């Protein structure tokens, strides 16, 4: 099973605690290269449930909690077909 991570970052800097241009979820492979990208344009703040729903709909399963990483959040994920 390959080691994958999901990174959820804002598409712009927050203004008064809100992110006007939404978020983006990138799935990173073991070389930390982008394997998949998903846009979450309606999010004004990080929402772990919405990020996980997006990943699950695309065939990825979160393998742990999200943790703060720079301007965004990260968690380990696995492909459904590799479980």
């Amino acid at each position: 099973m390959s080691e994958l991570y999901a990174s959820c970052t804002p598409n712009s800097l927050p203004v008064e605690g809100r992110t006007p241009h939404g978020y983006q979820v990138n799935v990173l492979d073991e070389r930390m290269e982008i394997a998949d990208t998903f846009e979450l344009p309606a999010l004004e703040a990080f929402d772990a449930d919405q990020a996980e729903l997006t990943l699950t709909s695309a065939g990825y399963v979160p393998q742990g909690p999200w943790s703060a990483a720079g301007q965004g959040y990260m968690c380990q994920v696995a492909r459904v077909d590799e479980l």
Side-chain angles (χ1 to χ4, degrees):
M1 182 165 62
S2 57
E3 193 168 319
L4 301 172
Y5 290 89
S7 171
C8 188
T9 56
N11 285 329
S12 62
L13 293 176
V15 176
E16 297 179 7
R18 297 172 55 200
T19 303
H21 298 102
Y23 278 71
Q24 181 179 66
V25 176
N26 290 313
V27 175
L28 308 171
D29 64 18
E30 57 275 349
R31 295 179 312 256
M32 296 309 240
E33 294 179 359
I34 296 173
D36 254 327
T37 299
F38 310 99
E39 294 293 329
L40 302 171
L43 289 187
E44 292 183 350
F46 176 69
D47 181 340
D49 291 337
Q50 185 62 49
E52 289 176 14
L53 178 63
T54 299
L55 286 167
T56 302
S57 296
Y60 296 96
V61 178
Q63 298 295 292
W66 291 89
S67 59
Q71 292 287 325
Y73 297 84
M74 289 188 81
C75 76
Q76 192 166 3
V77 297
R79 292 181 198 272
V80 172
D81 58 4
E82 291 185 1
L83 294 176

